[in-house]
Amino acid sequence: MQLSIPYLGDQKIEVAISDENLLGVLEPNTIPSAGEKESLGRATANLAAFLKGANKVLVIINDATRPTPTPAMLSAILPQAELAGIRDEQITILVATGAHRGAKEQELDQLLGPYTERLKGRLVSHDAKDSNSLVNVGKTRNGTPILLNKLLFSCDRIVATGSVEPHYFAGFTGGRKAFLPGIAGYATIEANHKLAIQDAAHSLALDGNPVHEDMMDALRHIKVPIFALMTVLDKDQKVVGATSGDIVDSFQEAVQVAQSVFCVPVKQQSDIVISVAKFPMDINLYQSQKGIDNGSLAVKDGGTLILVSSCREGIGDEEFAKLLGSCKTPDEALQKINENYKLGYHKAAKMASVSKRISVQAYTELNDNMVRSLFLEPVHDLQQALDDAMEQARRKGIANPTVLVLPDGCVTVPLVG
């Protein structure tokens, strides 16, 4: 089988895999859809009634690291706001950056689409480190301080948008995640993400997941009415479902749709897995790591995972890279993380845990020395890397090594068995 893998914009990486070795190409499932416009139109049918009488409306959107179709969602939201008599100057659009950087000028079209000129003056990027923009409203059951953007408390209606897909330690993205970590303070995000080290924090897990519990606890401190608009995307990043209304109910409804799309059964683990971080998740290693985490679920003990991601903006977070770079072994890294956690170390913990069990390689634009310091092996020829991994498996006595490909590894969750 000849595969053509998108890379760094318009580039393509060609790789050939023998049919007798190919276990499968695992992609999100295709499910029936009413279409983007129709789904979003139905989901926002009651929005005008919700906004009626509002003076200040806060619309929360995802940042440019997410594939959320924000312009299409705005196309459904804005007519409803007009029906409710809401003028543009009454609307603030808050980019839920979490602990990431603010939106760049060149990303405005991705975020606002045809409304860029109309709304760019209404757009604000959340800054988790700006103490003057935060309000402390209490603590979660896990002791996490709840610092939230003060714009939440100066509006009288909130429209929270997002997309729902499996997340490697929060269980799923979307819903409550728009608030924590989306528009939370740095200390809140750091304490919340420290919980990701626990075994209960993993993909698809909600019940008993301490990260999810924190997020739900934060919602209880927001008294302003919230209208949630959540989307579920398919493998081509097109809307296959949209839910709306109550922030909790719409999230749970979207989770059911997301499971039917992203949870893909596979009969057995494979000797080799190629996991691709698809745009926009290829922005940096911090985001692309999800492709490692998901892909590792389908790799046999002692097998090989090859991550394909340009990491076009580098590492994305220096803390987890510094931590791994300071350690000689994954075990040493895990020990340091447990002793002195900093934001980003959860990423290091997940990577170190995977590296203990399997060999992880990376086809990327990152510097080779940087890649090696993260317990990854840099490769520059994907075909050669695959051939070498198969030969290594044969030397271990595996006569016919199996290969599994995840073209959208950041959101494809293999269900083995």
Side-chain angles (χ1 to χ4, degrees):
M1 184 176 185
Q2 190 77 24
L3 290 176
S4 184
I5 299 172
Y7 183 79
L8 201 62
D10 297 331
Q11 295 182 31
K12 301 286 184 182
I13 304 172
E14 304 295 331
V15 60
I17 307 172
S18 171
D19 289 342
E20 66 177 1
N21 298 111
L22 184 63
L23 185 63
V25 177
L26 216 59
E27 296 191 80
N29 300 305
T30 300
I31 65 172
S33 169
E36 180 178 87
K37 187 175 181 180
E38 294 79 3
S39 297
L40 291 172
R42 282 200 301 268
T44 53
N46 298 322
L47 181 55
F50 171 83
L51 294 174
K52 194 71 175 178
N55 184 42
K56 292 182 179 180
V57 177
L58 182 67
V59 180
I60 302 172
I61 67 172
N62 278 348
D63 66 14
T65 66
R66 316 292 177 183
T68 308
T70 303
M73 299 172 89
L74 290 173
S75 292
I77 292 169
L78 292 174
Q80 292 293 313
E82 291 168 5
L83 281 176
I86 305 297
R87 303 182 306 277
D88 285 356
E89 54 266 31
Q90 293 176 275
I91 298 173
T92 298
I93 299 176
L94 181 60
V95 183
T97 58
H100 304 159
R101 59 161 173 77
K104 293 183 176 181
E105 183 74 21
Q106 59 265 36
E107 293 171 338
L108 293 183
D109 282 344
Q110 180 185 338
L111 297 176
L112 301 177
Y115 307 103
T116 299
E117 288 304 315
R118 174 180 167 183
L119 295 176
K120 66 181 181 180
R122 308 303 308 162
L123 185 139
V124 178
S125 288
H126 172 69
D127 184 349
K129 293 184 177 180
D130 179 12
S131 59
N132 292 326
S133 69
L134 303 170
V135 176
N136 190 329
V137 296
K139 292 185 177 181
T140 70
R141 75 190 80 175
N142 297 308
T144 298
I146 306 174
L147 299 162
L148 298 172
N149 194 296
K150 68 181 181 183
L151 290 174
L152 286 175
F153 308 98
S154 61
C155 63
D156 44 29
R157 298 289 193 284
I158 298 169
V159 179
T161 69
S163 53
V164 178
E165 61 197 34
H167 187 274
Y168 73 108
F169 67 80
F172 288 86
T173 65
R176 73 284 186 249
K177 206 167 179 282
F179 300 91
L180 198 177
I183 55 173
Y186 193 88
T188 301
I189 300 170
E190 185 170 57
N192 172 257
H193 284 30
K194 182 179 182 179
L195 300 170
I197 297 172
Q198 298 183 24
D199 291 340
H202 59 82
S203 186
L204 311 183
L206 295 176
D207 292 342
N209 184 336
V211 176
H212 171 67
E213 290 172 350
D214 260 16
M215 296 174 179
M216 295 300 293
D217 287 353
L219 286 181
R220 299 189 180 99
H221 294 271
I222 303 169
K223 306 305 179 185
V224 177
I226 302 170
F227 182 98
L229 177 59
M230 295 293 127
T231 58
V232 179
L233 310 183
D234 65 10
K235 64 182 179 181
D236 298 315
Q237 298 178 355
K238 295 181 180 179
V239 175
V240 293
T243 64
S244 63
D246 178 79
I247 184 73
V248 177
D249 293 344
S250 61
F251 170 68
Q252 293 290 351
E253 186 181 348
V255 162
Q256 298 302 312
V257 180
Q259 286 178 320
S260 68
V261 174
F262 298 111
C263 298
V264 186
V266 60
K267 291 182 180 179
Q268 64 189 61
Q269 288 184 318
S270 183
D271 298 299
I272 304 159
V273 170
I274 299 174
S275 184
V276 182
K278 194 174 179 180
F279 179 90
M281 304 304 284
D282 66 334
I283 188 169
N284 53 45
L285 186 62
Y286 192 85
Q287 294 298 334
S288 301
Q289 183 272 340
K290 295 164 187 172
I292 296 177
D293 210 69
N294 285 337
S296 70
L297 298 174
V299 183
K300 293 178 182 178
D301 288 352
T304 300
L305 172 68
I306 306 173
L307 173 71
V308 179
S309 175
S310 66
C311 298
R312 50 196 159 85
E313 290 194 7
I315 293 294
D317 181 280
E318 297 298 328
E319 289 297 337
F320 89 95
K322 288 178 182 176
L323 183 281
L324 291 178
S326 70
C327 300
K328 294 182 179 179
T329 65
D331 281 326
E332 182 185 352
L334 290 169
Q335 182 178 345
K336 280 191 176 183
I337 292 165
N338 284 319
E339 291 173 351
N340 183 28
Y341 180 86
K342 293 181 181 180
L343 184 60
Y345 281 11
H346 63 283
K347 190 78 61 171
K350 298 295 186 184
M351 289 181 65
S353 295
V354 170
S355 296
K356 284 182 62 178
R357 190 177 68 82
I358 62 176
S359 170
V360 185
Q361 301 177 359
Y363 184 100
T364 176
E365 299 301 299
L366 295 174
N367 176 274
D368 283 2
N369 289 333
M370 171 61 74
V371 172
R372 292 189 185 94
S373 74
L374 303 173
F375 304 122
L376 309 176
E377 179 185 343
V379 296
H380 302 287
D381 183 323
L382 187 58
Q383 184 69 63
Q384 188 64 52
L386 173 60
D387 293 345
D388 289 348
M390 293 184 68
E391 181 58 32
Q392 184 178 8
R394 292 189 184 99
R395 287 198 295 268
K396 293 179 180 178
I398 302 170
N400 196 33
T402 53
V403 181
L404 188 69
V405 182
L406 277 62
D408 198 357
C410 292
V411 295
T412 306
V413 181
L415 297 180
V416 180

